[in-house]
């Protein structure tokens, strides 16, 4: 028994402490005892899993439970990291279609478009980001709140989104 939300939130707390094994264990418990179709434990598991190949099935399952911009963004990021650029691009577009609450999919879309030599699409991503998600600091704040200040990979991602956003809107200082 127990409260699945408690296990999920403790899993996030362990993620902040860089204890991926305990975070995954709590997320699996939350998935097992929580309501059917609950995507949060799957997202936690994907975030702390070893290797990019193991993350996609978890995110596929999370998307079956809920059509969510953030899950599409995560899957786009993992596909981008494994050089599955067409799949990553499709996920970026799906993320944007689901009303993102941060600039993440636009930055990832820009990176994909540049890698594929699609300059117009890269420009469109920048324009959409400025129009829809102009706060360049939001991504970094969300990353820090979720993962804490101890995970260098996560902090670098947050700083990437913040720096990119600042450049796009002309804040160079």
């Amino acid at each position: 028994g127990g409260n699945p939300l408690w296990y999920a939130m403790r899993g996030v707390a362990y993620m902040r402490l860089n204890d991926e094994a305990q975070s995954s264990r709590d997320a699996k418990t939350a998935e097992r005892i929580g309501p059917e179709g609950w995507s949060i434990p799957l997202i936690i598991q994907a975030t702390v899993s070893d290797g990019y190949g193991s993350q996609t099935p978890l995110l596929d399952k999370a998307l079956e439970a809920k059509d969510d911009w953030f899950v599409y963004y995560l899957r786009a990021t993992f596909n981008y990291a494994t050089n599955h650029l067409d799949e990553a691009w499709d996920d970026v577009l799906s993320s944007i279609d689901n009303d993102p609450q941060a600039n993440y999919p636009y930055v990832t879309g820009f990176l994909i478009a540049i890698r594929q030599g699609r300059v117009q699409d890269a420009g469109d991503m920048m324009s959409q980001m400025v129009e829809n998600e102009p706060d360049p600091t939001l991504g970094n704040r969300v990353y820090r709140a979720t993962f804490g200040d101890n995970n260098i990979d996560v902090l670098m991602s947050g700083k990437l989104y913040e720096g990119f956003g600042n450049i796009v809107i002309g804040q160079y200082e």
Side-chain angles (χ1 to χ4, degrees):
N3 184 333
L5 184 58
W6 185 86
Y7 282 102
M9 293 303 100
R10 190 171 74 171
V12 171
Y14 279 122
M15 190 168 40
R16 284 181 57 98
L17 297 170
N18 291 323
D19 188 341
E20 295 171 351
Q22 192 61 42
S23 177
S24 180
R25 182 177 169 195
D26 278 350
K28 287 176 183 174
T29 300
E31 179 188 11
R32 188 176 60 254
I33 66 174
E36 188 171 332
W38 189 31
S39 62
I40 290 174
L42 299 165
I43 294 167
I44 296 168
Q45 289 176 62
T47 303
V48 299
S49 68
D50 279 337
Y52 286 108
S54 63
Q55 294 158 332
T56 303
L58 291 164
L59 295 173
D60 292 345
K61 191 173 176 183
L63 284 168
E64 289 172 14
K66 183 178 182 192
D67 200 36
D68 183 84
W69 77 268
F70 187 72
V71 180
Y72 280 114
Y73 153 74
L74 282 177
R75 195 170 68 179
T77 301
F78 297 138
N79 279 326
Y80 176 78
T82 57
N83 209 31
H84 295 101
L85 300 181
D86 292 334
E87 293 89 343
W89 181 255
D90 290 342
D91 283 338
V92 162
L93 297 179
S94 294
S95 179
I96 291 169
D97 286 344
N98 279 279
D99 191 29
Q101 302 302 301
N103 66 359
Y104 308 150
Y106 302 104
V107 176
T108 303
F110 172 85
L111 294 171
I112 294 165
I114 289 296
R115 277 198 55 198
Q116 293 184 323
R118 297 190 334 246
V119 176
Q120 180 63 48
D121 287 338
D124 290 345
M125 284 291 148
M126 289 190 321
S127 296
Q128 288 179 51
M129 185 181 77
V130 170
E131 181 179 327
N132 299 323
E133 302 297 332
D135 182 359
T137 66
L138 177 63
N140 196 24
R141 292 193 322 259
V142 170
Y143 269 102
R144 292 181 78 189
T146 304
F147 300 102
D149 292 329
N150 297 322
N151 187 320
I152 190 66
D153 294 330
V154 169
L155 289 178
M156 293 307 293
S157 296
K159 290 187 183 300
L160 167 73
Y161 291 109
E162 182 175 355
F164 183 86
N166 281 327
I167 288 170
V168 169
I169 64 172
Q171 292 183 350
Y172 305 115
E173 302 83 44

